[in-house]
Amino acid sequence: MDVLTLGFMQRALVACVVVSAVAPLVGTFVVQRGQSLTGDGMGHVAFAGVGLAFLVGVAPLVGALALTVLAALALYRTERSGLAGDLSLALVFYGGIAAGYLFATRSGGGLNAVLGLLFGSALDLTWGQVAAVVALALVVLVAVVALYGPLVALAFDESAARVAGVPVDGLVLTLTLVVALVVVGGMYALGLLLVSAMMVIPVAAAAQVATSYRATMRLAAAIGAGSAAVGLLAAYAGDATPASSIVLVAIGCYVVATVVRARRRRPRAAGSVAS
Amino acid sequence: MTAAVALELDAVGFGYGRDAVLHDADLRVREGELVAVVGANGAGKTTMLKLALGLLAPTSGVVRLFGTPVASFRDWQRVGYVPQRAAAASVLPVSVDEVVRSGLAGALGLWRRPDAAQRARIAHVLDLLGLAAVRAAPVATLSGGQQQRALIARALVTAPRLLVLDEPTTGVDAAARATLRASLEHLVHDEHVAVVYSSHDPHALRGLADRVVEVRDGGLHDVAPAAAPAPGGGR
């Protein structure tokens, strides 16, 4: 494994594995709430944030973070105002891509760099960028651990959670902000368009074989981390783009999990009696 | 001694836009009392229950929980809510134990895990509702009646003094309805919990309900006391 002695591979591995392990932890709540595309919408807003950062001359991370936090607040307000969930997401989604392209074209030389962040460039990361990714992931991890019980209650049933005394409104806003942090944290390594895939696909794969929510969450994080490691090494060996390779490995895990689930069910279906 | 009033609706009105769903609705439910709320589908039963729980804000009148206006009520551990089962369908695998524990989320807040008393209460409600043997099973693999009982167990895990159930027997078989009835009888008679139970079937709780209230034409109407004593129940 000489490849692991290469500095750029070490940096890519740390960043991709950390992001891909943490993203499904958040994705478990997002998927359960039927909001699988929230991360995708946030990615488009982060695109606008990066474009704006190049336009005004600040770090892309700062621009992405600022606009995704604002978008999280806007998404929360529009959802709570009674606008259908997918409609408010669509407004954020299209607004982000339009503004991002406008800012990027106005920023002159920044256009290529902005477009590069759409699919990430894991092999070009600096240790400073890796440190930023790990720091954002730690914030997300602490938030998920601290809020686990209330988030589970919210994800299962918002009305019942509210009656149980869970501060639902603040929690929904916090969850949206955490999604924004994951997207921004993953933009260098996986890209703004594909980072949200790691919030959803490992969760979908884990749900095929797990029997509890907690097990789904843990298995999804393992699938995410494993997909990142395998995908990155495969990309290096096959001279492919890392983000595409990682997401395709995760999809492969989903296919394998559905086969495992089908094989488990077959003998049971033949011999079971309904209770 | 008169039991405390758990739920009170005082001249409550509510509408969606210009369409009035409820007007001048009055209701008092005391601890140890079971009130059945009946009415045709779409009559406003769920709306009434959501108003009672503060999930909807009335356009007129006042809702009180244990004497406190619902908008400023904070002691939610005293209230349990069982929504319609379809509203609680899970996208991801979730075990019975996890569903029941989620009822403690408001009481536990951040970081904290259930203490010994809360774990004992979880075991008690699982036992009470006949779910102890399937505690670790995914909810999706259970029968409709067992799924419904898991939601009731979640509502009971904080030992509430008021339990609100929205159409709890929809889509469950006769055996499950009998188990639910026995559980409610225990809660009302032995633990003196106030129960509000909505159903489109006016005879759903015959012999067990202290009062039957019908939601009709936007108002609440007392239609009948318990029609006949439950076998051996003495009510």
Side-chain angles (χ1 to χ4, degrees):
Chain A
M1 295 292 259
D2 287 344
V3 63
L4 295 180
T5 63
L6 301 170
F8 68 89
M9 278 299 284
Q10 291 170 349
R11 293 190 289 275
L13 205 56
V14 171
C16 290
V17 168
V18 165
V19 168
S20 301
V22 167
L25 298 180
V26 180
T28 312
F29 301 109
V30 174
V31 171
Q32 175 68 19
R33 282 174 54 75
Q35 297 177 331
S36 299
L37 292 176
T38 302
D40 210 24
M42 284 294 172
H44 286 71
V45 174
F47 172 63
V50 170
L52 185 62
F54 275 98
L55 192 62
V56 300
V58 299
L61 194 71
V62 173
L65 205 52
L67 250 61
T68 49
V69 167
L70 284 176
L73 294 169
L75 200 57
Y76 168 78
R77 290 297 296 267
T78 51
E79 274 181 9
R80 298 282 128 174
S81 71
L83 203 61
D86 61 341
L87 198 55
S88 55
L89 194 59
L91 287 173
V92 171
F93 197 104
Y94 296 125
I97 203 85
Y101 191 56
L102 177 70
F103 294 150
T105 49
R106 287 290 178 94
S107 67
L111 181 59
N112 285 339
V114 175
L115 294 178
L117 283 174
L118 288 178
F119 295 99
S121 48
L123 302 177
D124 298 328
L125 295 175
T126 65
W127 278 117
Q129 288 170 326
V130 174
V133 168
V134 172
L136 286 173
L138 277 175
V139 172
V140 171
L141 188 62
V142 168
V144 169
V145 171
L147 298 171
Y148 178 77
L151 280 173
V152 167
L154 173 75
F156 288 177
D157 185 337
E158 187 171 320
S159 294
R162 197 181 285 275
V163 175
V166 173
V168 165
D169 293 332
L171 205 56
V172 169
L173 177 59
T174 304
L175 181 60
T176 314
L177 288 170
V178 169
V179 170
L181 288 184
V182 171
V183 169
V184 174
M187 72 177 185
Y188 287 123
L190 299 176
L192 294 168
L193 291 182
L194 287 178
V195 61
S196 56
M198 297 309 285
M199 249 188 279
V200 175
I201 298 167
V203 176
Q208 302 302 311
V209 290
T211 57
S212 72
Y213 200 77
R214 189 180 285 269
T216 301
M217 191 178 241
R218 288 176 175 168
L219 184 57
I223 290 171
S227 299
V230 172
L232 193 61
L233 293 171
Y236 178 80
D239 195 20
T241 48
S244 312
S245 177
I246 289 167
V247 171
L248 289 173
V249 169
I251 289 174
C253 290
Y254 173 78
V255 172
V256 170
T258 56
V259 172
V260 169
R261 178 189 171 100
R263 288 176 70 90
R264 272 187 190 172
R265 281 187 163 185
R266 210 173 296 154
R268 205 181 294 170
S272 66
V273 177
S275 60
Chain B
M1 193 176 72
T2 308
V5 175
L7 169 65
E8 184 179 11
L9 271 66
D10 187 359
V12 167
F14 180 79
Y16 294 101
R18 289 183 178 178
D19 301 325
V21 178
L22 279 181
H23 54 80
D24 289 328
D26 292 311
L27 181 69
R28 267 200 184 86
V29 184
R30 296 181 182 278
E31 291 189 17
E33 187 179 30
L34 193 155
V35 173
V37 177
V38 302
N41 288 331
K45 300 187 296 296
T46 296
T47 299
M48 197 215 87
L49 298 187
K50 288 186 172 178
L51 286 163
L53 295 165
L55 295 170
L56 292 173
T59 47
S60 60
V62 182
V63 176
R64 295 185 189 87
L65 291 171
F66 301 97
T68 304
V70 70
S72 52
F73 184 75
R74 294 291 175 269
D75 196 6
W76 288 106
Q77 291 174 55
R78 298 173 77 184
V79 181
Y81 171 46
V82 183
Q84 291 187 20
R85 185 160 53 92
S90 183
V91 177
L92 300 176
V94 51
S95 71
V96 171
D97 190 64
E98 289 172 320
V99 168
V100 176
R101 277 173 187 261
S102 72
L104 286 171
L108 290 173
L110 307 184
W111 301 105
R112 282 174 53 213
R113 301 169 69 86
D115 59 23
Q118 287 164 326
R119 289 198 299 274
R121 177 72 188 174
I122 291 169
H124 170 69
V125 295
L126 287 170
D127 203 36
L128 174 69
L129 292 158
L131 294 169
V134 292
R135 182 175 183 156
V139 169
T141 64
L142 306 182
S143 67
Q146 286 174 315
Q147 290 182 17
Q148 191 63 61
R149 277 183 277 148
L151 297 187
I152 296 171
R154 176 179 67 184
L156 291 178
V157 77
T158 55
R161 304 305 303 152
L162 168 65
L163 179 64
V164 177
L165 304 100
D166 191 1
E167 300 266 8
T169 54
T170 301
V172 303
D173 59 26
R177 286 200 294 272
T179 306
L180 173 59
R181 185 185 175 97
S183 303
L184 290 177
E185 198 161 7
H186 167 78
L187 288 169
V188 175
H189 293 177
D190 301 335
E191 299 193 19
H192 304 290
V193 174
V195 175
V196 180
Y197 179 115
S198 83
S199 175
H200 62 274
D201 177 8
H203 306 299
L205 289 179
R206 183 189 292 270
L208 183 60
D210 295 282
R211 280 188 292 142
V212 179
V213 174
E214 183 178 9
V215 183
R216 177 168 33 90
D217 301 328
L220 295 184
H221 307 273
D222 275 309
V223 290
R235 290 177 74 89

